Amino acid sequence: MTTITDTRLRRPAWSAAGPDSVRRRWIRLLLVAMVPLALFYFAWLLQPDRIGNPVLYVLLLAAELFNACQALGFWWTCSRERPWRRSAWLDLPPAVDVFIPVYDEPVAVVEPTVRAAAEMTGAEVTVHVLDDGDSDDMQLMAARCGAGYIRRAEHEGAKAGNINHALAQTDAPFVVVLDCDHVPEREFLEATLGCFNDDRVAFAQTPQYYANWDRGEVPAAAWGQQALFFGPIARGKDGHDAMFCCGTNVVFRRAALLDVGGFPIESVTEDFELSIALHERGWRSRYVPEVLAHGLGPEDMASYVGQQQRWSRGCLSALPTVLRSSLPLRLKVQYMLSASFFLSGWTVLVYMTFPVVRLVTGAQPLASTTADQFLGHFAPYFGLSLLAVTVLGGGAYTFKAFALQAASFWIHVQSTVLTVLGRRGSFVVTPKEGVEGRQPRAVAPALAAIAVLLTVAGYGLLRDRDPATLNNVAFASLHIAVLLAGVVPALRRRPLPLVAPRPYPVPT
Amino acid sequence: MTTTPTDHRTTTTHRPRRHTAAPARPRAAHPQRSRRESAVQVGRLAGEQLAVAAGQVGAGIGNLLFALIAARLLAPGAFAELAAFLALYLLIHVPAGSLSAGSALSPELAARARRRALIGGAAAGGALAVLAVPLGALLDLSPLLLLAAAAAAPTAPLLALDRGRLYGLGRRTRAVGSLLAEPAVRLTIGVAFAALVGPVGGAIAVVAAGWAALAVAQLPAGETAPRGGAEPSRPQTGLAIAAFLLLAVIQNQDVLFANALLDGDEAGRFAVLSTLGGAAAFATTTVPLMLLPRAGRDALRAALGVAFVLGLAAVAVVAVSPGGLVSLVFGGRYEQVGALVVPYVLAMAMLGVARVFVAHACASNGARRAVFVLAPVALLHLVLIAVLGDDAAGVATATLISTTVLTAGTAAIALPRPLAVRIPREAVWVAAIALGGLVLRLLATRGIWLDEATEIHQAQMPMSDMLANLRTIDVHPPLHHIILWGTVRLLGTGELAVRVPSLIAATAMIPLIHAAARDIYDRRAGMAAAVLASVAPFAVWYADEARMYALFMVFALLAVWMQVRILRGGGAGAWIGYVLSAAALIYTQYFGILFVATQQLAFAVAIARGAVPLRRYAAWSALLVLLIAPALSFAHAQFSANESAGRGFQQPSQAGGSVEPGAAPGAYAALTNLAWAVLGYHSNATMTALAAMWPLGVLLALSLLGRGRSWPTLLVVACALAPGIALFALGQLKPFVFEVRYFIGAVPLALMLIARAVTSWVRRPVVMAAACAAVAAIMGLGLADQQLNGSNPRVYDFKSALDRIEARAEPGDVIVFTPQYVDHVVAYYEDEGLKMQPLDKGLPAPRRGHRLFLLASFQDKPQYRKAAQDAVRKLSQRHHLVRRDRVPQILTWEFRR
């Protein structure tokens, strides 16, 4: 028995599998119960008597309706889970090319991936390291591991261009794309190839599991967000035949890739746009709810912000593509929901604005309402929504995940503005190793929001302490607390691991 | 220095005399001895103890004789002056006496500290001398007496140090000599001077006696004697002094505060008690000092035996004829104090025993533990005096309770193994927290409330009449009434007496919630829960109410805990605990059935999952049904009786300060009840402000994301929320039922959940402790506001209102009150000399020269406000309004014809 300290090599602490049929039934009942509660709330909200300041009211309404749409979409998606059972590939073991695109990642991060990929069973595997960093060390490592090494002269199209170049150099009927930090399990192909018994399946996506989720607050919170997506949401999208490619831990049918001309190189989220193109061409996708590869999530705030900026820019940029596409309505709505998620930061901004405006100017969005009335209509809807997220997320979606998301509101705002202005984004690889030291600049907008809220709250309390003021100060405090919880990892030095790292026994 | 061997006169070097350090005490090795040898040793040591104690007693008798002779010789005024001087002399010497403990433990301390003691004593004396004139005017004493006291001041610490050194070195004879020197000088020179010069002469002789005792006590340097035990460290010596100082405080603070708190007659009665009790304490003063230099089981046994015998002898002497003794010594007017003499002398005898335990602890390097016991007991004593000290009996009771606790506590720390029970540190902490919680509950007193007065009235009936009354008029189950029935007969109907069951339940809830949270979660959750329960405003409020709510909390907590144990595979013990607590819950408050029903749902889920065998559940549930069947039958009878009387269960809201009378509860009412449960009762303005902060509840809900859902937590949450939700729903039809008192069982469950959250959401121990402290501090602030804010709508200060009426009323005056149902509380506080009647029976016309007092409460209810206003208007037409008064929730008017 040997021991290793690479977190990617230990057993996953999470399962992507869905609940049993009994639980699924209860979850569906829960989701069904949400609808009348939402109607109850909006029926109360959408009355002329409720209008206070018209501008603020419209903003509130827009934010609430957007969130209601997202919530309804979430419930609709999650209610359509398809039970998963592995099926075996029905033919002789096929040839599979495994592409591991690298840029400037450390060899120590890449090597375990290459070695593990080479040991995958169930197919004739050929591993190719696609090195856009032109590193001799990487070449040596590939040779050492018995893997192929592909280096291209021109580095056009970032990761998408790199993969397209490799597609031209290889010919296996199936292609696996693994990010260089995602170490696959031996049975990766055995679990996924069975999906391709259906000739119309273009790709099979598996979860992006962050093996370093317990190594700090940022990866833990980021993982909470991932777990919600790769748990109930992805399973639900699979039920809608709407699962999209997430860029790694995915198996492609080469013919499907060639059918759409390979990965689109114009977008920073090439995987998302590729999925749209494939679905438009009538191909299908599958989601395999098993953790078959273990990767590394962003370990510091700057890495997380960079990742989120790339995703939000890419997905928002894809909105016109979705709208213009000839996808079936169901798929179009699914893609719209996923892409428009990156507008949710605007609603956070709107909600934060209300107590500020109220405390400074006295204007408020709602009129002729008491706390009793508001809570009586809002609390059941909000409470049950939270319960649904908790139950569906299986406990993986944490407050810290929510807070980090809320504190990243400005990324969505920034991305929207840049997308509207037509500014092109660039593909930036998410760093695989964290940075020591504080990173306040990475969360500067959130810090500014906290400062404004604190100032206004203090001003409000100094001026008056009537119930209305206290209520708005409480709202401001709520936002401050959430934002602080989201940004505090950037204000600490590299935090200690949530769980002390220890050697993990590996059978030899 | 050179030496020449032939001439010693020129060669011997004179070395200065040196204080040789006392030889190090050999470790108290206890070689195996035979019982006979041990008994012989104990006997010898006891003999030594008795010899010195005899000297002490002899000194005491001698000093008493001097006082008695002086009383004969001097005029009353002059004797009073001399007695005041003696009290001042004691005031100087008693605290300084604690230094004896230090020097007995570490005899070289006397040499080391003598200079500082002299300087300190001289400084005190100097200050007294400088202030002689103004102090004399203040105390009505001759400045010459104060100058005499100033002259005595330096002897106090020196005498204490040197006497202690004598004990420490085993110089018993000289110690006795020093003790007897004082009365010898007093009885010779003192009597003569007093006769010749008066009180000043007597005082001078007393001072001289002190100096004489000091002279006898001062040994030549270098005197040593073998001692047993290891040499104590300086901190231990300091702690030993502190421990004995605390003992002196406990011994004397009751008479000091009695003098301040009680009126003249009662203070005098207590002074008599204190004098007699002081004799018992005085007799055992030397016993611990003799023990201090020795550390060993035999020495402890000997000292305990002597202290016990002396104490018992004192009790026996006074027990022969307590009243007769008091009359004989103090005069017939104090005879009634006789009933208190035996308990008080017993308290002082226990103090003597406790001092022995403390001495043993100090001698065994346990002085710190002793201080940790003594300090809270001194505080407890003080609090009890403040709470109970309405009369001499109350102060004596406070002292008896405190010395009992003191003796038990010091025994626990001092008794050597295997006699001592090993008490885990955690248990000590929980006990300390519970003691703190008890102190808070004792301090948070308020007057009797009308529900309490009604129940006290019912409890004074014969049992059968009480139950019939409950069955026909009341709407509550009988358990608390039965307990109160017994309490009233044992302890009377005093405010504290009737609340003893609630006080015990609410205090017991602290270790209970610790045990439950520790068992369900972990040790940290248990400790945090205990801390929160000790300061939780609601728990403190209902600890001080002679109603069933404290019991409700305890039984609900116990029932949930037992259910968790059952679901974890517990055996018959858990089932029995559950059945009994669930049954008791229903017998305490009918709304307890909501908790029990929630628990049955949980059992159903557990049975469906195979966690609980159905047969076992059925058997125990059958027993539960059997136990509660009489309660349900009782409830049915009550319901029928109330329905046929046209009352139903529609009760007027008697809780006071309810959210909005008559309105179906909404979100605001829910928030208010939640705020009450966690932060206690506050003014309406505060509650409105708290309710406005509801967005922080959103933060709490969000913070629950991803927290995991262990089934014990789900069960606790369900039991905490479900009854409240059910009553909220029922409240849409009958608004008055939605009040947190009726689901008060949720409070300890909520505290447990808060404790769990604080200790599991935070990883770092320091941050966890800070978070727990912050939550406790918030609750403490809530508690302070609840208790001290006069705008608390829950406070109905009938006591103050009626006390003020009683202070002004004379026989023949009339009290008219509204509404009618405050009759019992008015009757509770008013003596029988006044006529009392409800307003709805009309306004009586007071006779000329007499007064009519109108007392009005519940003025937030329109009908009662109108009735009071009409009455005032009518009375003002024919009578003179003398005075108008207002206390929380009570208005009074005084009319005179």
Side-chain angles (χ1 to χ4, degrees):
Chain A
M1 191 82 80
T2 57
T3 59
I4 39 81
T5 53
D6 192 328
T7 63
R8 295 173 293 173
L9 302 179
R10 55 180 176 152
R11 282 185 189 279
W14 174 76
S15 169
D20 57 36
S21 58
V22 172
R23 228 163 146 242
R24 268 206 303 277
R25 224 171 289 142
W26 281 107
I27 289 173
R28 283 204 187 105
L29 270 172
L30 176 69
L31 297 177
V32 164
M34 310 281 263
V35 176
L37 290 177
L39 288 174
F40 180 58
Y41 170 58
F42 279 97
W44 173 83
L45 185 65
L46 288 165
Q47 291 182 30
D49 288 348
R50 300 282 163 259
I51 301 175
N53 179 289
V55 172
L56 296 177
Y57 179 78
V58 166
L59 282 174
L60 172 67
L61 202 57
E64 291 287 84
L65 284 171
F66 175 85
N67 282 328
C69 290
Q70 286 284 312
L72 274 168
F74 173 71
W75 304 331
W76 172 56
T77 302
C78 296
S79 65
R80 195 86 182 256
E81 273 191 36
R82 176 161 43 202
W84 161 256
R85 188 176 294 160
R86 245 193 227 187
S87 53
W89 173 248
L90 295 176
D91 208 336
L92 291 170
V96 175
D97 286 322
V98 180
F99 292 165
I100 302 177
V102 302
Y103 181 54
D104 62 352
E105 293 84 357
V107 171
V109 171
V110 182
E111 185 163 353
T113 306
V114 175
R115 288 193 183 279
E119 289 173 9
M120 287 195 292
T121 57
E124 290 177 19
V125 173
T126 309
V127 180
H128 305 274
V129 175
L130 314 181
D131 184 11
D132 256 0
D134 303 334
S135 162
D136 294 334
D137 289 338
M138 202 65 74
Q139 187 172 19
L140 286 170
M141 180 276 296
R144 201 164 56 233
C145 300
Y149 179 82
I150 298 176
R151 186 187 286 190
R152 53 178 179 156
E154 303 292 326
H155 296 286
E156 191 195 359
K159 177 182 171 185
N162 199 4
I163 294 174
N164 288 342
H165 178 260
L167 278 172
Q169 313 294 318
T170 56
D171 60 6
F174 295 100
V175 173
V176 174
V177 176
L178 294 171
D179 276 356
C180 64
D181 58 304
H182 281 256
V183 176
E185 294 192 356
R186 290 169 65 93
E187 52 184 3
F188 182 98
L189 290 172
E190 287 181 35
T192 51
L193 283 176
C195 298
F196 295 94
N197 290 324
D198 180 349
D199 290 335
R200 293 306 302 166
V201 170
F203 65 88
Q205 176 68 55
T206 70
Q208 281 185 29
Y209 173 66
Y210 289 169
N212 62 337
W213 66 270
D214 56 351
R215 295 300 297 269
E217 293 171 283
V218 173
W223 169 242
Q225 297 166 10
Q226 287 283 83
L228 189 64
F229 178 77
F230 282 107
I233 295 176
R235 294 195 301 267
K237 283 190 178 298
D238 186 54
H240 286 282
D241 289 320
M243 184 61 195
F244 54 83
C245 164
C246 299
T248 180
N249 309 349
V250 57
V251 186
F252 289 99
R253 191 189 297 275
R254 184 184 287 269
L257 283 175
L258 296 177
D259 189 32
V260 296
F263 280 76
I265 62 174
E266 307 83 19
S267 169
V268 293
T269 48
E270 72 288 344
D271 38 17
F272 195 71
E273 297 242 13
L274 172 67
S275 310
I276 296 171
L278 286 167
H279 280 129
E280 255 189 310
R281 298 282 295 171
W283 291 98
R284 300 179 68 191
S285 61
R286 290 303 307 274
Y287 174 65
V288 178
E290 291 185 40
V291 175
L292 296 167
H294 308 196
L296 297 174
E299 293 213 341
D300 59 68
M301 190 60 75
S303 305
Y304 174 81
V305 166
Q307 180 195 69
Q308 294 297 308
Q309 282 175 324
R310 184 165 57 81
W311 289 357
S312 64
R313 284 298 313 277
C315 289
L316 288 174
S317 304
L319 265 174
T321 307
V322 173
L323 288 168
R324 286 195 302 262
S325 72
S326 55
L327 291 166
L329 181 63
R330 183 167 43 83
L331 262 72
K332 192 176 277 195
V333 172
Q334 282 289 323
Y335 274 104
M336 284 291 298
L337 281 170
S338 297
S340 63
F341 166 77
F342 293 96
L343 292 172
S344 59
W346 285 97
T347 65
V348 175
L349 180 62
V350 165
Y351 292 138
M352 286 194 296
T353 307
F354 291 142
V356 172
V357 171
R358 173 61 175 81
L359 289 168
V360 173
T361 68
Q364 57 189 25
L366 295 177
S368 305
T369 183
T370 62
D372 244 357
Q373 291 175 335
F374 177 71
L375 285 173
H377 292 85
F378 174 73
Y381 161 61
F382 178 75
L384 218 53
S385 301
L386 269 191
L387 182 64
V389 168
T390 302
V391 169
L392 285 163
Y397 189 68
T398 61
F399 172 67
K400 282 290 181 85
F402 167 79
L404 182 60
Q405 191 175 316
S408 307
F409 72 94
W410 60 275
I411 297 176
H412 297 181
V413 173
Q414 177 197 50
S415 299
T416 310
V417 170
L418 290 176
T419 302
V420 166
L421 291 177
R423 297 267 183 88
R424 283 183 59 81
S426 58
F427 188 92
V428 176
V429 176
T430 306
K432 306 305 177 192
E433 287 181 333
V435 171
E436 298 267 348
R438 300 185 175 92
Q439 298 175 323
R441 288 182 64 180
V443 294
L447 289 174
I450 291 171
V452 168
L453 287 163
L454 271 173
T455 306
V456 167
Y459 166 72
L461 284 175
L462 281 172
R463 197 184 58 184
D464 201 349
R465 278 179 290 280
D466 63 6
T469 302
L470 289 174
N471 183 251
N472 283 277
V473 168
F475 268 116
S477 304
L478 163 65
H479 293 304
I480 290 168
V482 170
L483 289 174
L484 265 178
V487 305
V488 80
L491 304 180
R492 287 203 252 261
R493 284 201 196 128
R494 181 81 176 275
L496 291 173
L498 301 182
V499 175
R502 58 185 187 280
Y504 303 103
V506 175
T508 51
Chain B
M1 292 252 189
T2 56
T3 58
T4 306
T6 54
D7 189 344
H8 291 287
R9 283 175 303 161
T10 60
T11 60
T12 304
T13 305
H14 289 281
R15 295 172 197 225
R17 291 193 103 165
R18 223 186 272 175
H19 289 286
T20 55
R25 300 187 195 197
R27 276 212 174 268
H30 296 289
Q32 290 292 327
R33 280 195 196 152
S34 67
R35 281 197 179 180
R36 189 182 153 77
E37 285 173 353
S38 183
V40 166
Q41 175 73 347
V42 169
R44 186 179 64 77
L45 291 169
E48 290 173 5
Q49 286 274 12
L50 278 170
V52 175
Q56 171 79 350
V57 172
I61 292 172
N63 290 333
L64 183 62
L65 265 178
F66 166 73
L68 290 174
I69 294 172
R72 297 268 182 205
L73 281 178
L74 299 172
F79 176 66
E81 281 202 319
L82 181 61
F85 168 80
L86 289 170
L88 187 58
Y89 187 85
L90 270 179
L91 200 62
I92 296 169
H93 278 258
V94 164
S98 59
L99 291 171
S100 293
S103 53
L105 194 60
S106 176
E108 74 279 8
L109 174 70
R112 266 201 326 266
R114 187 173 283 135
R115 189 157 174 273
R116 267 180 287 166
L118 179 62
I119 292 170
L128 205 53
V130 165
L131 296 170
V133 171
L135 267 180
L138 189 67
L139 301 172
D140 198 20
L141 273 182
S142 163
L144 293 173
L145 288 173
L146 289 163
L147 286 173
T155 63
L158 292 172
L159 189 58
L161 282 173
D162 278 312
R163 278 191 182 153
R165 184 162 175 256
L166 290 173
Y167 296 127
L169 295 176
R171 297 299 302 272
R172 296 177 296 279
T173 309
R174 198 177 271 263
V176 171
S178 173
L179 288 169
L180 293 174
E182 265 195 280
V185 172
R186 288 189 191 191
L187 285 171
T188 51
I189 301 173
V191 170
F193 275 26
L196 289 171
V197 185
V200 174
I204 291 171
V206 167
V207 173
W211 283 102
L214 179 62
V216 172
Q218 284 217 327
L219 278 177
E223 288 275 354
T224 62
R227 290 169 297 130
E231 189 66 28
S233 62
R234 278 200 190 184
Q236 282 290 320
T237 309
L239 286 167
I241 294 171
F244 274 79
L245 185 59
L246 285 168
L247 280 168
V249 166
I250 294 171
Q251 182 182 340
N252 293 286
Q253 68 180 348
D254 54 359
V255 70
L256 287 173
F257 284 105
N259 201 43
L261 291 174
L262 303 179
D263 62 31
D265 290 344
E266 286 299 316
R269 289 190 196 104
F270 189 79
V272 167
L273 276 182
S274 178
T275 305
L276 288 172
F282 180 79
T284 55
T285 301
T286 59
V287 177
L289 297 174
M290 288 282 290
L291 176 62
L292 275 165
R294 306 163 198 274
R297 197 178 290 189
D298 293 340
L300 174 62
R301 282 179 178 152
L304 272 178
V306 168
F308 184 74
V309 164
L310 288 174
L312 200 60
V315 172
V317 164
V318 299
V320 169
S321 175
L325 175 67
V326 168
S327 292
L328 180 68
V329 176
F330 298 96
R333 62 182 167 161
Y334 293 112
E335 190 176 355
Q336 61 178 281
V337 174
L340 302 170
V341 169
V342 170
Y344 191 78
V345 173
L346 177 64
M348 289 296 111
M350 282 197 285
L351 181 73
V353 172
R355 281 200 293 225
V356 170
F357 286 131
V358 169
H360 181 74
C362 293
S364 313
N365 281 329
R368 187 185 301 272
R369 290 197 307 271
V371 170
F372 279 161
V373 171
L374 287 163
V377 171
L379 179 60
L380 173 68
H381 189 201
L382 184 62
V383 168
L384 286 174
I385 291 170
V387 169
L388 303 174
D390 293 332
D391 52 19
V395 179
T397 305
T399 302
L400 181 61
I401 294 171
S402 303
T403 51
T404 305
V405 171
L406 176 67
T407 308
T410 51
I413 61 163
L415 284 175
R417 297 186 184 95
L419 292 176
V421 175
R422 187 176 171 82
I423 301 173
R425 183 183 287 191
E426 190 177 340
V428 172
W429 277 109
V430 174
I433 294 169
L435 183 64
L438 174 63
V439 167
L440 276 177
R441 283 145 177 75
L442 287 171
L443 287 173
T445 57
R446 59 184 187 276
I448 293 287
W449 154 246
L450 76 92
D451 283 1
E452 293 178 278
T454 303
E455 192 167 334
I456 294 166
H457 169 75
Q458 291 167 324
Q460 292 176 282
M461 301 174 182
M463 176 66 78
S464 54
D465 290 352
M466 182 183 76
L467 292 175
N469 182 272
L470 287 176
R471 199 177 284 117
T472 52
I473 294 173
D474 210 304
V475 294
H476 297 98
L479 180 59
H480 185 265
H481 288 77
I482 293 171
I483 293 172
L484 190 60
W485 185 92
T487 305
V488 156
R489 275 147 188 81
L490 270 176
L491 303 175
T493 58
E495 275 183 14
L496 182 61
V498 296
R499 288 162 173 174
V500 161
S502 296
L503 191 60
I504 291 173
T507 306
M509 194 176 85
I510 298 169
L512 182 64
I513 201 173
H514 164 263
R518 193 187 201 285
D519 189 41
I520 294 173
Y521 298 115
D522 54 34
R523 187 185 62 82
R524 286 176 299 190
M527 292 303 296
V531 168
L532 297 182
S534 69
V535 296
F538 227 54
V540 173
W541 182 270
Y542 285 106
D544 208 39
E545 187 160 306
R547 296 286 280 162
M548 69 289 290
Y549 302 108
L551 285 177
F552 195 162
M553 286 192 276
V554 166
F555 291 137
L557 175 63
L558 199 51
V560 171
W561 179 22
M562 289 298 110
Q563 185 176 27
V564 171
R565 290 186 73 90
I566 290 168
L567 295 177
R568 280 183 176 160
W575 277 109
I576 291 170
Y578 171 72
V579 166
L580 290 178
S581 52
L585 185 58
I586 293 171
Y587 276 97
T588 299
Q589 234 285 359
Y590 289 128
F591 287 124
I593 202 134
L594 296 172
F595 284 89
V596 177
T598 307
Q599 291 185 299
Q600 303 319 302
L601 282 174
F603 274 127
V605 171
I607 291 167
R609 292 186 175 179
V612 172
L614 177 59
R615 285 171 68 177
R616 187 178 294 182
Y617 167 77
W620 287 105
S621 297
L623 178 60
L624 175 61
V625 169
L626 209 61
L627 286 175
I628 66 173
L632 297 178
S633 164
F634 196 82
H636 176 72
Q638 285 176 314
F639 182 78
S640 305
N642 278 281
E643 282 287 289
S644 51
R647 286 190 297 268
F649 276 86
Q650 180 68 37
Q651 297 287 322
S653 177
Q654 299 178 356
S658 52
V659 174
E660 194 182 313
Y668 178 73
L671 287 172
T672 303
N673 277 272
L674 177 63
W676 283 338
V678 178
L679 297 173
Y681 293 124
H682 303 282
S683 65
N684 291 336
T686 303
M687 293 312 303
T688 305
L690 285 173
M693 314 264 299
W694 66 260
L696 297 179
V698 174
L699 182 61
L700 178 64
L702 288 170
S703 62
L704 293 174
L705 283 171
R707 290 289 174 193
R709 25 172 232 279
S710 68
W711 66 260
T713 297
L714 285 177
L715 176 64
V716 173
V717 168
C719 291
L721 289 181
I725 292 171
L727 287 174
F728 182 86
L730 185 59
Q732 306 307 311
L733 297 173
K734 292 199 179 288
F736 71 91
V737 301
F738 183 64
E739 197 177 317
V740 65
R741 290 184 298 157
Y742 301 141
F743 51 98
I744 197 174
V747 170
L749 303 181
L751 293 176
M752 205 158 55
L753 289 170
I754 294 171
R756 173 60 174 167
V758 166
T759 55
S760 66
W761 290 4
V762 180
R763 292 186 190 275
R764 280 190 270 173
V766 170
V767 179
M768 189 189 303
C772 185
V775 174
I778 291 170
M779 285 190 177
L781 280 171
L783 175 63
D785 184 71
Q786 173 183 266
Q787 300 302 135
L788 302 173
N789 190 337
S791 302
N792 185 344
R794 295 282 169 157
V795 175
Y796 280 64
D797 198 357
F798 287 103
K799 178 178 179 178
S800 295
L802 290 164
D803 280 350
R804 291 180 190 188
I805 290 176
E806 193 177 347
R808 296 178 61 80
E810 289 162 7
D813 289 347
V814 177
I815 298 178
V816 177
F817 54 86
T818 180
Q820 175 274 329
Y821 49 76
V822 304
D823 52 345
H824 291 135
V825 73
V826 172
Y828 179 85
Y829 280 114
E830 281 307 317
D831 61 33
E832 292 164 6
L834 298 177
K835 189 172 173 226
M836 296 174 276
Q837 70 178 60
L839 178 60
D840 50 7
K841 282 197 176 160
L843 284 169
R847 297 200 303 264
R848 193 171 287 280
H850 287 280
R851 277 170 282 212
L852 183 147
F853 296 92
L854 175 65
L855 182 146
S857 184
F858 291 93
Q859 295 297 284
D860 57 320
K861 308 288 187 287
Q863 69 270 38
Y864 303 130
R865 187 169 60 248
K866 185 174 179 311
Q869 286 168 350
D870 289 345
V872 169
R873 200 167 38 250
K874 278 185 196 159
L875 286 168
S876 299
Q877 286 164 2
R878 294 176 307 178
H879 305 89
H880 172 56
L881 176 63
V882 175
R883 184 187 170 98
R884 206 181 138 156
D885 213 345
R886 184 187 197 105
V887 296
Q889 310 295 335
I890 318 283
L891 296 172
T892 55
W893 294 263
E894 179 185 335
F895 291 92
R896 184 189 282 273
R897 187 138 177 220

